[in-house]
Amino acid sequence: MSTIKIHLEDAEMHPVLRLAKLLHVEPEDIAYAALNRLMIQGRDPEVQNDICHTRKVRETQLPLWADSAGSVHAYEGMPDCDPARSKYSV
């Protein structure tokens, strides 16, 4: 039997573990079911584009389903803005 290893960040693994616990299965069962669904739909050009896009952004972004508590938000690292002056201010 061949092996595929998937390395996940904690923010990616925790949702997988929660789903596995909810369904009373192992995390490997979640991964296999996901691969099964993907392979069934893999000839769809939209799915193929999604696979390629996910590969490109994986190094810099967490997937939408990951816990994002540790992720950087778009506004972080930006300079603080002065509030806009109101047209009613004197």
Side-chain angles (χ1 to χ4, degrees):
M1 180 178 285
S2 298
T3 302
I4 296 176
K5 293 183 180 183
I6 302 173
H7 300 274
L8 299 176
E9 299 291 334
D10 286 342
E12 296 168 314
M13 188 61 181
H14 291 156
V16 173
L17 292 172
R18 286 194 301 271
L19 182 57
K21 184 177 179 181
L22 177 72
L23 300 176
H24 306 287
V25 298
E26 297 298 318
E28 293 83 358
D29 298 320
I30 302 295
Y32 188 84
L35 181 60
N36 183 56
R37 289 188 65 131
L38 183 64
M39 293 303 294
I40 290 169
Q41 299 174 354
R43 292 182 187 254
D44 180 341
E46 189 174 322
V47 173
Q48 293 174 2
N49 287 337
D50 187 45
I51 292 169
C52 294
H53 175 73
T54 301
R55 179 177 183 257
K56 289 178 186 175
V57 301
R58 185 165 185 223
E59 292 180 17
T60 58
Q61 298 177 18
L62 289 171
L64 296 176
W65 49 266
D67 289 346
S68 60
S71 66
V72 176
H73 297 282
Y75 59 83
E76 291 183 25
M78 295 178 67
D80 292 335
C81 298
D82 290 330
R85 291 181 55 94
S86 168
K87 66 179 181 178
Y88 300 109
S89 60
V90 191

